Amino acid sequence: SVAGDSTDWVYFSFATGAEVQGVTEANRMSRSDWDIAFNRFNMRTNSGLSGSGKGGAVETDKTSFADVTEAPSDGYVTDVEITIRGYSNGAMREKKSTGNLALLKAIRFSGPPPTYTVNDHVFVVRTADGKYVKVAFESFHKTIPEQKQPVSGYITFRYAYQPDGSRNLKSK
């Protein structure tokens, strides 16, 4: 796909710990089975203009995963219109889409040349059904054996999901 293609999103459920298949731009508003979505360094939650869920996200001031022991009671950012920027055939392209402004701070993009810096703060995501997850983003690159350089666009993160609906995020 074209870099920065606003229709190329990968949807993920924290409850199942897996990618959610079949979510599209046409049906995402009616689907309650996804919590977060990724389009290169852009992210969505199932909230606001991206989804009809109770989702949202907040950036904490903590850098240690273990130090985030409780989800904040408020301050969650819901999804709004964003501009997706990406390179295609050496030219910068822009498209309107939707995304989460708090999560846009998770991976900082600068360039040219394209440079991606992972924010070391822990984020808390509220899921489509109003549960809480702490998330630490770890990398934006993947090593592929046949490539000389690591390939960008592969977000790795770790998370702790609280299935009981409480704001307790103490690490087990």
Side-chain angles (χ1 to χ4, degrees):
S1 84
V2 173
D5 181 345
S6 63
T7 62
D8 189 18
W9 290 84
V10 174
Y11 293 83
F12 185 84
S13 165
F14 288 112
T16 64
E19 183 179 340
V20 179
Q21 301 296 328
V23 183
T24 65
E25 289 296 289
N27 71 14
R28 65 182 158 81
M29 291 299 290
S30 63
R31 300 272 302 249
S32 60
D33 56 346
W34 68 274
D35 299 313
I36 192 169
F38 304 94
N39 172 287
R40 296 198 51 77
F41 53 85
N42 302 291
M43 295 179 223
R44 287 177 171 160
T45 62
N46 195 331
S47 73
L49 295 180
S50 295
S52 55
K54 300 175 185 167
V58 63
E59 178 182 4
T60 73
D61 61 357
K62 306 269 195 296
T63 56
S64 165
F65 199 68
D67 286 350
V68 178
T69 58
E70 186 176 56
S73 58
D74 56 24
Y76 292 85
V77 173
T78 57
D79 290 25
V80 296
E81 184 177 84
I82 64 167
T83 300
I84 290 184
R85 294 176 180 88
Y87 289 97
S88 174
N89 301 325
M92 180 64 88
R93 308 268 189 236
E94 293 188 350
K95 276 189 176 176
K96 295 289 185 205
S97 190
T98 65
N100 189 283
L101 294 179
L103 291 176
L104 283 181
K105 298 176 185 172
I107 296 161
R108 296 188 189 95
F109 168 74
S110 60
T115 305
Y116 305 94
T117 308
V118 177
N119 184 335
D120 63 356
H121 288 179
V122 178
F123 289 77
V124 175
V125 173
R126 192 172 53 212
T127 65
D129 61 358
K131 298 192 170 124
Y132 296 95
V133 187
K134 61 180 171 179
V135 182
F137 295 94
E138 296 178 329
S139 167
F140 188 67
H141 292 84
K142 175 176 163 181
T143 302
I144 298 175
E146 54 276 6
Q147 301 279 341
K148 289 187 173 74
Q149 305 275 334
V151 179
S152 69
Y154 294 89
I155 294 175
T156 54
F157 58 94
R158 68 185 182 123
Y159 67 93
Y161 169 70
Q162 176 51 274
D164 71 10
S166 77
R167 294 182 9 245
N168 175 11
L169 294 176
K170 289 183 178 67
S171 297
K172 295 162 186 64

